[in-house]
Amino acid sequence: MTGPLTRFGIDSESREQRQDKILAGVLASVYQQVPQSVLGSVVGGFAIVASFWQNQSQGLLIAWFFAMLLESLVRLRVARAFGRSADTVSRVNAWSLRWVALSAVAGSLWGLAGVFFFAPNAPSQQLVLVAVILGVAFGSLTLYATHRPALSFFLPLALLPLIGRLVFEQDPAYYTAAIVTLAVFGCTMFFGRSFGDTMSEAVKNNYENEVLVEQLVSQMRVADDARRAAENATRSKTQFFAAASHDLRQPLQAIGIYVSLLKRRVQGPAEPLVGNLSSAVDALSTLVEELLEISRLDSGSIQPQQQQVLLDDLFNTIEQEFMPQAAGKGLELRVRRAGFAIDSDPMLLMRVLRNLVANALKYTREGGVLLGARVRRGVISIEVWDTGPGIKQLELDRVFEEFYRGESGKAEGGGFGLGLSIVKRICSVLAHPLIVTTRPGSGTVFRVEAAVSASPMRRTPRIDSASEQQIRALNGLTIVVLEDNEEILNSLTRLLRSWGADILSSTSFNSSLVKKLGLRNKIDLLIADQNLGNSAVTGVDAAFRIRSIIGFPVPVIMLTAVQGLDVIAEFQRTMQQHLARNPELATVIARSRVEEPKVLQKPTTTAALNATIAQTLGLSNTPEGAPRPEAVPEGGEERVR
């Protein structure tokens, strides 16, 4: 049979050891009551001495009272010694014997009083004697009954001599008194033993509870250590992925640019091979970005920037981005706009909708996909419907797991099974409930719920995205490129030169670059990595210094593996530091605040880079009439060492 002690592994303790600990607890309760019992004994003894002083031998009274005081003093010293003892368990039997001996002595003294001070011819004094002895016996019941052996010695020694003295008088009245006292003695012994058993059981339960609490604290300590170890492991993983974020994106960025240049120049039989290479690079970049994004979401390094989001603006972007893909598969992509505004992070919410729409188009073979929003149960429900094969009920709980694609995903091919995992994590970060319902063979609905924005609705300008066929020429523009990685610097400068730009490039911000900047008539744009190798000057620092040298806020694009929010935060801190050092620059810095850098995450596509440059410099959003890229004369480059 197993109990709480066995269940928590305390059964390794022997029965004798457990009994010793319980007995030590009982004696602790006993010795705590000694001062009160001593006070009762002294008061009772003084009452007897005062009552019999005139009719009994005064020497006998003094000797008896002195013995009572001596016993009380010894009892106090023993109780004090017990309280100070560092280890009562190992010597518990000795402490028990001492208490039983003291109980026997105390009972004997009260028994002697009942024999020697009994006065047959003084009824009032007899009444005092019986009342005091019974009062002390009953008043000390909890003290002696707590430890059964002590009760077995004290109570008989204290009351039986008095009962014998009453019988010795051979008087019917005394016989009656003796019978009543004997009955009281029997009841007291019975209830005292029951009280002792109850106290022992209470001490035992208290001891077991303390042991269980100690075990619980120990388990909590182990769990806390495990939690700290897990937190340390999470921090280590976060640091690893932070380093991997930079180290993986750097070569992928260079490879992507080189493949883009290769696609523009290769013709003939090698062209399909370059196309396959480009697709492989895009897939690798997507996988790396998704893995790093999952790591950032799990580590909490991605924090939402809540603001008002106009759903129609997001829907417009989604429609423009996915309409060609839907048309290419013979599907209908419908977007229902309703003019709703919610409070969310537009970048993260856009990531969610892109993944959901991309998944819906991927697994739908006929019919179409619907993106819309409606009021549902008092909140805005953003919904993506498809007419695909649906999800089996057995797979419904697993579709959000990493690398799980299910039967439909395996049949369609492509993808890594990370899209819905990212969607689930982002919705958790945004505190937007994510609901999925499905009917196998009929389609699936993903719903993202969000509260209606409490702020007045405000319109935002629409920004069009560029495709590979919308590359803008950069003829006549001078661009400074700062990149510590030689491969990326070489590939990036070649790409920009192929678009017609003149390039001033360097792997760091140094004195040679400062001299070259002083000789330039104009600088149109700065493209910089945030981390410039071992240089103490970051991309943000370089942006402020170049603007100071040129004399106006040169537009800046940060092409970096560092998170965009971190880059903008450092830009704002640096701006405040400049303002603190030079308050007279307030007007310039106020203008610079408007000229915050655009941030592109590595690895990015050539189309995204070209579109960002065009947007930053205010180039035409319509490429019609612009010369074809292959007809643009290549720009020049000046490399600063």
Side-chain angles (χ1 to χ4, degrees):
M1 181 176 180
T2 60
L5 297 179
T6 304
R7 188 167 60 249
F8 281 87
I10 311 174
D11 55 337
S12 59
E13 189 177 60
S14 68
R15 178 180 178 84
E16 291 73 16
Q17 290 174 326
R18 195 176 310 159
Q19 290 298 329
D20 287 347
K21 291 181 179 179
I22 293 173
L23 180 55
V26 170
L27 292 178
S29 175
V30 167
Y31 281 119
Q32 286 177 355
Q33 302 177 58
V34 165
Q36 295 88 339
S37 69
V38 166
L39 178 62
S41 297
V42 172
V43 171
F46 183 79
I48 288 179
V49 171
S51 298
F52 291 92
W53 186 257
Q54 299 295 333
N55 300 329
Q56 294 288 345
S57 171
Q58 296 178 351
L60 181 62
L61 285 171
I62 293 175
W64 177 85
F65 188 69
F66 179 78
M68 180 67 68
L69 291 178
L70 182 61
E71 184 275 332
S72 298
L73 179 61
V74 172
R75 205 185 325 169
L76 284 173
R77 290 180 62 85
V78 172
R80 187 177 182 184
F82 180 89
R84 291 183 174 182
S85 177
D87 185 11
T88 57
V89 176
S90 62
R91 301 176 56 203
V92 67
N93 291 326
W95 290 111
S96 174
L97 290 175
R98 291 177 188 176
W99 179 246
V100 172
L102 289 171
S103 302
V105 171
S108 299
L109 289 174
W110 289 109
L112 290 174
V115 173
F116 293 139
F117 301 144
F118 189 84
N121 299 322
S124 61
Q125 293 177 342
Q126 292 179 18
L127 181 62
V128 171
L129 178 65
V130 173
V132 169
I133 293 176
L134 290 179
V136 170
F138 295 145
S140 302
L141 179 63
T142 59
L143 174 69
Y144 296 106
T146 302
H147 187 37
R148 182 183 292 182
L151 179 68
S152 299
F153 276 93
F154 172 79
L155 202 59
L157 291 175
L159 293 183
L160 290 181
L162 177 62
I163 295 173
R165 187 68 178 81
L166 291 172
V167 173
F168 179 77
E169 292 297 323
Q170 298 181 357
D171 185 279
Y174 288 124
Y175 286 153
T176 303
I179 293 172
V180 171
T181 306
L182 184 62
V184 171
F185 167 75
C187 292
T188 305
M189 283 293 296
F190 174 77
F191 287 115
R193 291 169 66 90
S194 299
F195 178 80
D197 293 339
T198 302
M199 285 296 299
S200 296
E201 188 65 24
V203 172
K204 176 184 176 182
N205 292 336
N206 183 63
Y207 164 69
E208 292 179 354
N209 289 337
E210 288 180 355
V211 173
L212 293 177
V213 169
E214 183 178 350
Q215 288 290 328
L216 179 60
V217 170
S218 177
Q219 293 293 330
M220 291 178 63
R221 190 179 299 113
V222 171
D224 191 54
D225 292 341
R227 177 185 58 79
R228 282 196 294 267
E231 290 176 350
N232 292 334
T234 300
R235 280 194 293 270
S236 298
K237 184 185 73 170
T238 302
Q239 293 171 358
F240 167 77
F241 275 104
S245 174
H246 183 270
D247 295 340
L248 289 174
R249 282 171 167 156
Q250 293 284 73
L252 284 175
Q253 181 65 74
I255 293 171
I257 294 175
Y258 279 132
V259 169
S260 179
L261 290 170
L262 198 59
K263 285 176 63 177
R264 294 162 55 88
R265 298 185 180 184
V266 171
Q267 296 180 351
E271 190 171 354
L273 296 177
V274 175
N276 292 338
L277 178 61
S278 177
S279 299
V281 171
D282 290 341
L284 179 60
S285 298
T286 300
L287 175 60
V288 169
E289 184 59 35
E290 287 180 345
L291 288 173
L292 294 176
E293 186 169 9
I294 286 177
S295 173
R296 293 195 301 271
L297 288 167
D298 287 344
S299 66
S301 59
I302 294 181
Q303 296 297 326
Q305 304 296 311
Q306 295 285 348
Q307 63 185 70
Q308 188 182 84
V309 178
L310 303 181
L311 293 181
D312 286 355
D313 290 348
L314 298 188
F315 290 179
N316 289 336
T317 303
I318 295 290
E319 183 180 34
Q320 182 180 3
E321 181 176 344
F322 288 97
M323 188 65 76
Q325 180 180 340
K329 292 188 64 175
L331 302 174
E332 181 182 5
L333 175 61
R334 291 185 295 164
V335 178
R336 290 183 179 175
R337 300 166 181 82
F340 293 129
I342 64 173
D343 290 324
S344 184
D345 185 309
M347 300 293 293
L348 295 178
L349 184 59
M350 177 63 82
R351 182 82 162 108
V352 169
L353 297 183
R354 278 197 176 106
N355 278 4
L356 293 178
V357 173
N359 258 23
L361 290 174
K362 178 180 178 181
Y363 296 118
T364 302
R365 297 182 179 179
E366 58 182 20
V369 174
L370 170 65
L371 171 64
R374 58 174 174 155
V375 178
R376 191 168 181 262
R377 297 198 298 261
V379 298
I380 302 299
S381 176
I382 308 169
E383 302 177 353
V384 178
W385 295 67
D386 66 56
T387 57
I391 305 171
K392 294 183 178 180
Q393 291 297 326
L394 294 176
E395 298 178 340
L396 201 57
D397 293 333
R398 299 193 60 193
V399 294
F400 297 107
E401 296 178 4
E402 297 88 347
F403 300 106
Y404 184 79
R405 294 188 293 165
E407 294 183 5
S408 300
K410 295 173 184 176
E412 290 295 327
F416 303 100
L418 294 174
L420 289 180
S421 178
I422 292 175
V423 166
K424 182 70 173 179
R425 285 170 165 84
I426 293 178
C427 286
S428 178
V429 169
L430 294 174
H432 293 341
L434 176 63
I435 304 168
V436 55
T437 55
T438 182
R439 292 182 61 187
S442 300
T444 304
V445 184
F446 285 89
R447 294 182 174 90
V448 179
E449 296 184 345
V452 180
S453 176
S455 306
M457 186 179 297
R458 55 181 183 275
R459 295 292 174 183
T460 56
R462 181 176 172 180
I463 300 176
D464 295 330
S465 60
S467 67
E468 284 284 358
Q469 290 74 33
Q470 295 179 330
I471 299 298
R472 278 82 168 175
L474 305 179
N475 303 68
L477 298 179
T478 300
I479 301 177
V480 177
V481 180
L482 296 179
E483 171 61 62
D484 63 310
N485 186 284
E486 286 282 355
E487 288 294 329
I488 296 181
L489 183 62
N490 292 334
S491 60
L492 185 57
T493 53
R494 289 181 184 179
L495 180 66
L496 296 173
R497 288 172 58 199
S498 72
W499 294 340
D502 292 326
I503 307 300
L504 177 60
S505 61
S506 177
T507 56
S508 64
F509 186 88
N510 50 46
S511 58
S512 299
L513 179 63
V514 173
K515 292 179 182 179
K516 294 294 183 180
L517 289 171
L519 299 176
R520 293 278 178 168
N521 293 326
K522 71 181 183 75
I523 298 295
D524 297 292
L525 178 67
L526 167 64
I527 300 178
D529 190 357
Q530 172 64 359
N531 294 328
L532 296 177
N534 297 324
S535 173
V537 179
T538 64
V540 167
D541 293 330
F544 275 94
R545 297 187 186 195
I546 291 175
R547 286 178 174 181
S548 177
I549 294 171
I550 301 303
F552 69 95
V554 176
V556 178
I557 295 176
M558 304 296 294
L559 181 60
T560 179
V562 180
Q563 290 299 303
L565 294 176
D566 295 336
V567 174
I568 298 301
E570 182 174 343
F571 179 88
Q572 293 173 347
R573 284 196 300 270
T574 305
M575 183 174 60
Q576 294 299 326
Q577 291 171 1
H578 280 264
L579 179 60
R581 289 195 297 266
N582 301 293
E584 65 276 6
L585 296 178
T587 303
V588 177
I589 290 177
R591 184 182 178 190
S592 296
R593 184 178 289 109
V594 181
E595 301 293 339
E596 287 184 350
K598 301 289 191 302
V599 181
L600 277 178
Q601 291 290 138
K602 293 179 179 178
T604 189
T605 64
T606 56
L609 176 61
N610 186 270
T612 304
I613 293 174
Q615 179 187 358
T616 303
L617 298 179
L619 303 181
S620 172
N621 286 334
T622 55
E624 301 166 356
R628 293 179 60 81
E630 54 266 25
V632 175
E634 189 173 279
E637 178 188 5
E638 183 176 2
R639 177 67 59 89
V640 178
R641 301 294 180 181

